């Protein structure tokens, strides 16, 4: 069973629908016991950083998430909140990735919205993904490049399209909205041991 973290953010149902298409059982929950006992955890995200952190703190999930031992996947805002700090609302994050989240400079259209390619370092999450495959982005803030970067996208500037540290995986793009490629990436996550 996969636990999808519930925090009143958007996109939670889209993630569950994508898992349903892969015939994977999931539950949308903010119950710490269910999250702890899940085989894997997905921390999705569409929303605003400071209000989301407030909701996570109310449920104690800000303390729980960084201690999880099973594979955890952060998506979009979920990825950003896994970092140490976010310029959006001057928000302190979960600190899993010791990097900052910054607002794109207004040198092109912001938010970065639509299909874009990513340059992938060798990583199990991208097994079966080709160099010219596109994924779907919607974001105004980006994660800095770091030792945790597993793929890079270039929009206005190069940024981390995905991150990994131990059992924590994160993606700025939306695999649940990225068609066949996104399904492949979600399937790779499902099959992690």
């Amino acid at each position: 069973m996969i636990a999808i973290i519930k925090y009143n953010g958007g996109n939670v149902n889209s993630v569950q629908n994508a898992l349903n298409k892969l015939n994977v059982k999931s539950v949308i929950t903010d119950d710490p016991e269910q999250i702890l006992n899940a085989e894997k955890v997905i921390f999705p995200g569409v929303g605003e950083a400071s209000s989301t952190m407030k909701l996570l703190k109310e449920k104690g999930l800000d303390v729980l998430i960084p201690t999880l031992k099973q594979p955890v996947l952060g998506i979009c805002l979920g990825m950003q909140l896994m970092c140490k700090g976010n310029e959006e609302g001057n928000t302190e994050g979960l600190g899993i990735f010791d990097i900052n989240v910054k607002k794109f400079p207004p040198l092109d259209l912001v938010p970065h919205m639509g299909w874009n390619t990513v340059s992938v370092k060798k990583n199990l999450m991208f097994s079966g993904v080709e160099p010219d495959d596109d994924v779907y982005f919607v974001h105004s803030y980006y994660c800095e490049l770091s030792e945790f970067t597993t793929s890079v996208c270039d929009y206005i500037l190069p940024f981390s399209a995905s991150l990994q540290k131990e059992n924590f995986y994160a993606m700025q793009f939306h695999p649940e909205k990225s068609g066949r490629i996104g399904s492949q990436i979600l399937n790779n996550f499902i099959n992690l041991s």
Side-chain angles (χ1 to χ4, degrees), residues 92-156:
E92 184 179 339
L94 300 174
I96 294 164
F97 300 107
D98 188 23
I99 56 177
N100 290 304
V101 179
K102 300 183 173 182
K103 185 163 187 158
F104 278 119
L107 303 175
D108 203 335
L109 294 175
V110 177
H112 171 213
M113 186 176 344
W115 296 86
N116 210 333
T117 56
V118 294
S119 172
V120 177
K121 297 181 180 183
K122 187 176 179 186
N123 188 278
L124 290 173
M125 289 293 288
F126 291 94
S127 177
V129 177
E130 299 297 327
D132 58 347
D133 286 336
D134 287 345
V135 289
Y136 190 77
F137 290 88
V138 182
H139 61 121
S140 299
Y141 294 79
Y142 68 93
C143 297
E144 297 174 306
L145 296 176
S146 74
E147 64 188 289
F148 310 113
T149 302
T150 55
S151 68
V152 177
C153 184
D154 198 335
Y155 183 81
I156 301 178

Side-chain angles (χ1 to χ4, degrees), residues 7-178:
Y7 62 90
N8 298 333
N11 231 38
V12 175
N13 291 325
S14 295
V15 170
Q16 188 169 51
N17 289 339
L19 293 175
N20 288 343
K21 287 179 185 171
L22 296 170
N23 295 314
V24 175
K25 291 184 179 179
S26 63
V27 59
I28 298 171
T29 182
D30 59 7
D31 176 38
E33 263 325 290
Q34 273 192 311
I35 294 168
L36 270 173
N37 293 319
E39 184 183 342
K40 293 182 176 69
V41 175
I42 296 180
F43 180 21
V46 170
E48 191 273 331
S50 61
S51 58
T52 300
M53 276 304 297
K54 182 173 183 266
L55 290 166
L56 292 175
K57 286 178 179 179
E58 286 172 4
K59 296 287 185 176
L61 299 180
D62 61 317
V63 175
L64 175 69
I65 293 169
T67 68
L68 295 174
K69 302 298 181 207
Q70 67 270 61
V72 178
L73 174 61
I75 297 173
C76 197
L77 180 60
M79 169 174 165
Q80 293 178 2
L81 291 176
M82 292 166 93
C83 298
K84 73 176 176 187
N86 192 322
E87 287 185 356
E88 185 177 25
N90 195 26
T91 305
E92 184 179 339
L94 300 174
I96 294 164
F97 300 107
D98 188 23
I99 56 177
N100 290 304
V101 179
K102 300 183 173 182
K103 185 163 187 158
F104 278 119
L107 303 175
D108 203 335
L109 294 175
V110 177
H112 171 213
M113 186 176 344
W115 296 86
N116 210 333
T117 56
V118 294
S119 172
V120 177
K121 297 181 180 183
K122 187 176 179 186
N123 188 278
L124 290 173
M125 289 293 288
F126 291 94
S127 177
V129 177
E130 299 297 327
D132 58 347
D133 286 336
D134 287 345
V135 289
Y136 190 77
F137 290 88
V138 182
H139 61 121
S140 299
Y141 294 79
Y142 68 93
C143 297
E144 297 174 306
L145 296 176
S146 74
E147 64 188 289
F148 310 113
T149 302
T150 55
S151 68
V152 177
C153 184
D154 198 335
Y155 183 81
I156 301 178
L157 45 75
F159 64 88
S160 293
S162 61
L163 302 168
Q164 183 193 350
K165 179 184 175 186
E166 298 163 354
N167 59 309
F168 293 96
Y169 300 80
M171 297 175 179
Q172 183 60 66
F173 57 89
H174 289 273
E176 76 284 3
K177 294 185 180 295
S178 295

